[in-house]
Amino acid sequence: GSAVACFGGLPVMVMEKQGKALRIWDEAYQEACLALLAEEYKCGRIFPMQKRIVVKEYPDTAKEALKKAGFLKEMQDYVLYK
């Protein structure tokens, strides 16, 4: 399962492998995209069968945006619980 965030019809971010890998193409939208992703996940609209998302691969520039979106730092990963 993958989740893609688009702006103006162009992809700006994707979470692959049920959230294990985060790729960001346009950093200007990363905070907004991650906040929306967290909201949609908690509502059960994306990755509905997962109790948590564990992001293991992410760009260094996304660390602060992950924290602001509600992800918790656990070891070297970022985790979002429902």
Side-chain angles (χ1 to χ4, degrees):
S2 297
V4 178
C6 296
F7 184 80
L10 299 172
V12 293
M13 184 187 86
V14 65
M15 286 195 101
E16 302 172 305
K17 304 174 189 174
Q18 282 76 34
K20 289 183 177 89
L22 173 66
R23 310 229 189 285
I24 298 173
W25 291 289
D26 193 337
E27 293 177 9
Y29 302 106
Q30 69 183 358
E31 281 189 32
C33 289
L34 286 168
L36 182 59
L37 176 125
E39 180 182 322
E40 295 295 308
Y41 171 69
K42 289 180 179 181
C43 291
R45 293 188 190 107
I46 57 172
F47 307 130
M49 303 305 285
Q50 290 182 240
K51 294 181 181 183
R52 65 183 181 182
I53 295 175
V54 181
V55 183
K56 295 183 173 286
E57 301 172 31
Y58 50 87
D60 284 338
T61 58
K63 291 178 183 178
E64 192 61 36
L66 284 163
K67 288 179 193 175
K68 286 182 181 179
F71 286 79
L72 304 173
K73 178 87 166 159
E74 291 185 2
M75 302 290 276
Q76 294 186 17
D77 306 331
Y78 283 90
V79 182
L80 181 66
Y81 295 94
K82 278 194 179 176

